[in-house]
Amino acid sequence: MTKSLRLGIAGLGTVGGGVLDILAKHGALVAARAGVKIEVVAVSARDRSKKRGHDLSALTWYEDPVKLAADPNVDVFIELIGGEGNPAKAAVEVALNSKKHVITANKALLAHHGAALAKLAEAQGVALNFEASVAGGIPIIKTLREGLAGNRVGKLFGIMNGTCNYILTKMANEGRSFADVLKEAQALGYAEADPTFDVGGFDTAHKLAVITSLAFGSQVNLAAIDIEGIEAITLEDIRNASEMGYKIKLLGVAVASEEGIEQRVHPTLVPKGSPVSDTDGVFNAVVVKGDFVGDLMLEGRGAGAHPTASAVLSDVVDIARGNFRPAFGVPAAELRPYKAAPQKAHEGGYYVALELHDKPGAVAAVARILADEKISIESIVQRGKKEKDTPRATAPFILITHDTVETAMRAALSRIERDGHVASHPRMIRIERL
Ligand code: HSE
């Protein structure tokens, strides 16, 4: 095997280090599968002196990833810098314009500029591959682009952020605080450089925008996504949900119908035992509903150095084999204009947490307001009042509703608040019966 495919890696953080680890261990295996030797020839990272556990002295070192992207000795530019803007965007554009194949794990970049970059890659006759951008080690991109090519997808949903799932799982199983577990997720290399992207739901939204486009053959449309993160979820919510037969997960959901496409990201109560409810810790799971294949669920580690690097290596081998095709499954010019479904309020059940003033008639008043809005209650938990509540005693009052519409739910909650029955703003979480 004399030919080689020469890689330039921009960004030697968690994932970049993982790529070096896999090549160090499986260089021969990957080369046998690729049909050519795989060589890292150039790298770019901020801190040259940092110990990375690999001898990088023979590689060309660039401070500026854009310069690496233009290096004529590089065949494949691997962008692991992150962020929707420069230098990642400029570097990817320079690489594509220099007719280099590009591999990126950058979901933010793809969610904002995916269609334009795909068009550029097509025009230059090179690959734009991004398996590592969604759900870490799960081959969801390849599955949608190739494995399900004979299906029309009507719906997909899933857990696509390892950090959030890790936080929610540890809060549930170990009773630990949100902030404490987030710190641990950061130390384990799961979180984004700015973890508000994780906990605020934006990272899930970036990933959802990418796979929605692939699944439905439509333009990438991040702006169309309703986004709500997990910051407001409390230990009590998780415990209450559990007692009532549910787990709380941050879901990304996309549905295509005659009316158009609906995309949303929000914390969700999922019944225990339903798909994705047992996907815990850093694991992600994506469920795809195809018209011929039926329901399909892929589960695996959604973040971390090695699972994500494993996805990068699959793109490397595809490029070496010449197995690349339009980035979003169809030529970028043929992606259908995004048609948003009319704003439809969630129809389903709701979890509602009220901090109710503990006085005669409060529960009856709440029940009356719900009845007025034709909302029927599935179950209720009322806990004893808290000792520390002063000056007016309150008691947590938790209820799960039968299916209703969001407008009715919101109207009821604002009336409950307006009429002075609660000491704090009511919390409401959607329930999906998957
Ligand atoms: N911060 C991301 C996560 C990394 O937690 O899922 C993988 O995209």
Side-chain angles (χ1 to χ4, degrees):
M1 203 180 288
T2 49
K3 268 187 75 187
S4 74
L5 188 73
R6 299 164 304 174
L7 312 181
I9 304 179
L12 287 181
T14 305
V15 184
V19 172
L20 296 176
D21 291 347
I22 297 182
L23 284 173
K25 182 156 184 199
H26 286 327
L29 184 72
V30 171
R33 289 173 176 162
V36 292
K37 197 168 159 221
I38 306 294
E39 264 185 295
V40 179
V41 296
V43 289
S44 157
R46 271 192 296 248
D47 181 1
R48 196 167 179 167
S49 61
K50 191 170 160 191
K51 294 261 173 296
R52 293 186 164 86
H54 296 276
D55 179 9
L56 305 179
S57 56
L59 311 184
T60 312
W61 190 283
Y62 290 92
E63 304 242 311
D64 180 358
V66 180
K67 294 219 166 82
L68 164 60
D71 183 334
N73 291 318
V74 168
D75 303 311
V76 181
F77 177 69
I78 304 184
E79 186 272 304
L80 303 174
I81 306 162
E84 72 180 86
N86 295 333
K89 178 168 180 275
V92 166
E93 286 168 346
V94 165
L96 293 174
N97 279 318
S98 332
K99 294 200 186 305
K100 293 184 204 318
H101 301 294
V102 168
I103 293 171
T104 178
N106 189 340
K107 50 266 162 153
L109 179 70
L110 293 163
H112 285 275
H113 310 291
L117 294 172
K119 207 165 171 187
L120 178 56
E122 278 165 37
Q124 300 290 44
V126 292
L128 172 67
N129 279 5
F130 44 84
E131 188 60 73
S133 66
V134 179
I138 300 177
I140 184 63
I141 303 297
K142 212 174 177 58
T143 299
L144 288 170
R145 194 159 47 192
E146 296 171 38
L148 299 181
N151 287 262
R152 191 171 285 286
V153 175
K155 179 171 183 179
L156 57 85
F157 62 89
I159 296 169
M160 288 175 253
N161 184 272
T163 303
C164 287
N165 209 38
Y166 189 80
I167 292 172
L168 293 171
T169 303
K170 291 277 170 181
M171 285 172 75
N173 295 352
E174 297 171 15
R176 287 166 58 198
S177 77
F178 185 102
D180 179 33
V181 189
L182 171 59
K183 257 191 226 138
E184 190 174 289
Q186 287 178 289
L188 289 165
Y190 300 158
E192 297 300 297
D194 175 356
T196 55
F197 275 85
D198 297 291
V199 299
F202 308 107
D203 178 76
T204 301
H206 290 148
K207 293 165 177 169
L208 183 67
V210 170
I211 60 172
T212 295
S213 168
L214 260 171
F216 304 150
S218 52
Q219 291 280 344
V220 187
N221 193 338
L222 176 68
I225 306 181
D226 276 337
I227 308 172
E228 191 185 320
I230 63 163
E231 306 97 321
I233 304 291
T234 64
L235 270 172
E236 284 70 33
D237 291 330
I238 293 173
R239 198 183 62 201
N240 294 330
S242 178
E243 279 178 17
M244 293 162 132
Y246 296 88
K247 282 189 177 180
I248 301 181
K249 299 290 183 188
L250 181 70
L251 291 192
V253 182
V255 185
S257 67
E258 299 269 295
E259 296 175 298
I261 298 172
E262 176 196 348
Q263 297 183 89
R264 49 194 163 84
V265 171
H266 50 76
T268 312
L269 260 72
V270 295
K272 287 182 187 171
S274 62
V276 316
S277 66
D278 290 330
T279 300
D280 285 333
V282 73
F283 279 73
N284 284 189
V286 184
V287 175
V288 183
K289 292 171 180 282
D291 56 355
F292 281 89
V293 72
D295 290 10
L296 189 87
M297 172 160 138
L298 284 90
E299 187 180 46
R301 286 183 171 76
H306 290 159
T308 314
S310 156
V312 171
L313 263 297
S314 93
D315 282 345
V316 170
V317 171
D318 264 355
I319 289 171
R321 289 170 172 163
N323 177 23
F324 53 92
R325 72 313 289 160
F328 288 95
V330 295
E334 289 173 29
L335 285 170
R336 285 197 303 275
Y338 187 95
K339 181 182 165 206
Q343 193 69 23
K344 215 177 24 194
H346 170 83
E347 281 178 41
Y350 288 85
Y351 161 99
V352 175
L354 304 173
E355 199 59 37
L356 209 58
H357 289 304
D358 199 5
K359 58 182 186 195
V363 170
V366 166
R368 164 63 36 220
I369 292 170
L370 292 172
D372 287 350
E373 293 294 340
K374 303 197 173 23
I375 297 168
S376 152
I377 297 169
E378 179 184 294
S379 48
I380 292 177
V381 171
Q382 181 169 24
R383 303 199 185 282
K385 66 183 178 187
K386 295 177 186 168
E387 292 307 320
K388 61 181 168 58
D389 284 330
T390 53
R392 295 173 73 183
T394 62
F397 185 72
I398 315 300
L399 53 96
I400 298 253
T401 74
H402 284 297
D403 289 2
T404 180
V405 291
E406 189 155 333
T407 38
M409 204 62 242
R410 289 198 183 278
L413 293 186
S414 53
R415 206 174 128 196
I416 289 168
E417 198 170 1
R418 208 175 46 238
D419 289 357
H421 299 300
V422 286
S424 59
H425 197 52
R427 288 198 309 287
M428 177 179 101
I429 307 174
R430 296 176 182 96
I431 299 173
E432 294 261 347
R433 305 188 200 278
L434 303 167

